[in-house]
Amino acid sequence: MRKTTFLLPVIVLAVVATLSAMFIVDEREKALVLQFGRVVSVKEDPGLAFKIPLIQEVVTYDDRILSREVGPLEITPLDDRRLVVDAFARYRIADVRQFRQAVGAGGIAVAENRLDSILRAEIREVLGSVSSNDILSSDRAVLMLRIRNSAITQARGLGLEVIDVRLKRTDLPQANLEATFARMRAEREREAADEIARGKEAAQRVRAQADRTQVELVSEAEREAEIIRGQADARRNAIFAEAYGKDIEFFEFYRTLSAYRSSMLEGNSSMVLSPDSEFFNYLKSSTGAAAN
């Protein structure tokens, strides 16, 4: 009975010591075995591992690729056109021993604060060396690569590996947006006024050309009409002259009858003539011949 009473606590202590000496390394993590704050060993392979109970402790860090957002950062490119830039980075803990030595017990929080400082400094330096047009153009990919390469070198001292850096948003500061929009509106209104003025000028030219063409066409038509009318009158007079030359008495008779017809139409004014007027010679003759 005394032996059982003595062995039971020993067995319990042995089991507790054995369990506390074992730990499991997850495949998504890396583990550090610390002894009085000093790194004793690094466990990177997943599986079961051991440590000295009570003396050593285990600290684990994420071995996956992590993301870090860089808050809005105001930069001034070469053309002094201020921009607000948002960025994010993807990184991982490459050297867990160096990471522990660099950040101490602060862990990821301290490391990300330092990484933010590195990224902000590199973004300011790289984007401040080019114009705003370069930042907003297709050269943006080259600029992001420059930021990443510079950040890789500096983050290596923290035991971090910077995998990628991306610029998410590049905008004007809020204070400058309204002034920029107002300037854009004024520019578009000026362009619209210029287009309207050019349109009116073109319309005036077309209208003037149409009026000129109209006058020219009417003048040309009237000239041709006068020519045709003159030719017709000449032809008519020639016919009359030819007919008059063949039978003078018939021609005078025909012209007198035409005059009678025209003068005696309904609505014509009254005529006051002497009975001895030659106008009535054919009315006085019984034979229809003109009296001498």
Side-chain angles (χ1 to χ4, degrees), residues 16-252:
V16 171
T18 302
L19 292 177
S20 62
M22 294 187 301
F23 63 93
I24 298 175
V25 180
D26 191 276
E27 61 184 0
R28 297 165 296 180
E29 296 177 338
K30 293 181 179 180
L32 288 179
V33 179
L34 304 179
Q35 182 172 324
F36 305 116
R38 182 174 59 85
V39 178
V40 175
S41 63
V42 178
K43 304 296 183 181
E44 296 185 357
D45 297 329
L48 186 64
F50 297 90
K51 65 180 181 66
I52 301 174
L54 302 178
I55 297 177
Q56 296 178 343
E57 60 177 334
V58 177
V59 178
T60 58
Y61 296 103
D62 203 324
D63 192 32
R64 295 172 295 181
I65 296 176
L66 306 175
S67 297
R68 181 60 180 173
E69 298 281 343
V70 181
L73 177 64
E74 187 171 309
I75 64 170
T76 305
L78 288 179
D79 52 5
D80 293 331
R81 183 183 179 186
R82 292 188 303 166
L83 297 174
V84 176
V85 176
D86 285 346
F88 77 93
R90 298 177 67 82
Y91 72 97
R92 61 185 293 270
I93 301 174
D95 189 336
V96 67
R97 183 188 295 271
Q98 187 174 3
F99 178 80
R100 177 69 184 189
Q101 293 174 351
V103 303
I108 293 294
V110 174
E112 288 185 341
N113 288 335
R114 294 188 183 179
L115 183 60
D116 282 353
S117 299
I118 294 173
L119 293 174
R120 287 176 178 271
E122 293 303 324
I123 290 173
R124 288 184 185 275
E125 180 178 353
V126 173
L127 300 187
S129 63
V130 297
S131 66
S132 57
N133 291 332
D134 294 331
I135 298 174
L136 300 175
S137 68
S138 58
D139 294 337
R140 184 170 178 167
V142 177
L143 298 177
M144 290 187 294
L145 185 61
R146 287 176 55 188
I147 295 172
R148 190 202 71 173
N149 292 339
S150 299
I152 286 175
T153 303
Q154 298 192 43
R156 193 175 291 120
L158 298 175
L160 301 178
E161 177 188 359
V162 177
I163 299 173
D164 194 13
V165 176
R166 294 286 173 177
L167 301 178
K168 296 195 304 180
R169 180 177 63 96
T170 305
D171 291 331
L172 292 173
Q174 188 63 34
N176 296 350
L177 284 177
E178 294 183 3
T180 301
F181 290 152
R183 185 170 63 253
M184 293 172 63
R185 282 194 297 269
E187 182 66 19
R188 296 301 177 268
E189 289 173 357
R190 184 188 64 79
E191 292 178 358
D194 290 343
E195 290 294 333
I196 292 173
R198 284 194 291 269
K200 290 182 177 180
E201 181 182 356
Q204 188 65 29
R205 286 198 303 269
V206 172
R207 194 176 293 112
Q209 182 65 30
D211 293 340
R212 178 181 176 181
T213 303
Q214 178 191 12
V215 172
E216 291 177 350
L217 290 175
V218 171
S219 299
E220 181 67 18
E222 291 178 349
R223 186 182 67 83
E224 292 179 357
E226 289 296 331
I227 293 173
I228 294 173
R229 190 178 295 111
Q231 292 173 349
D233 290 342
R235 178 63 177 165
R236 182 193 61 180
N237 293 335
I239 293 173
F240 282 159
E242 184 181 357
Y244 181 78
K246 290 182 178 180
D247 193 339
I248 298 175
E249 184 179 354
F250 177 77
F251 183 75
E252 291 180 353

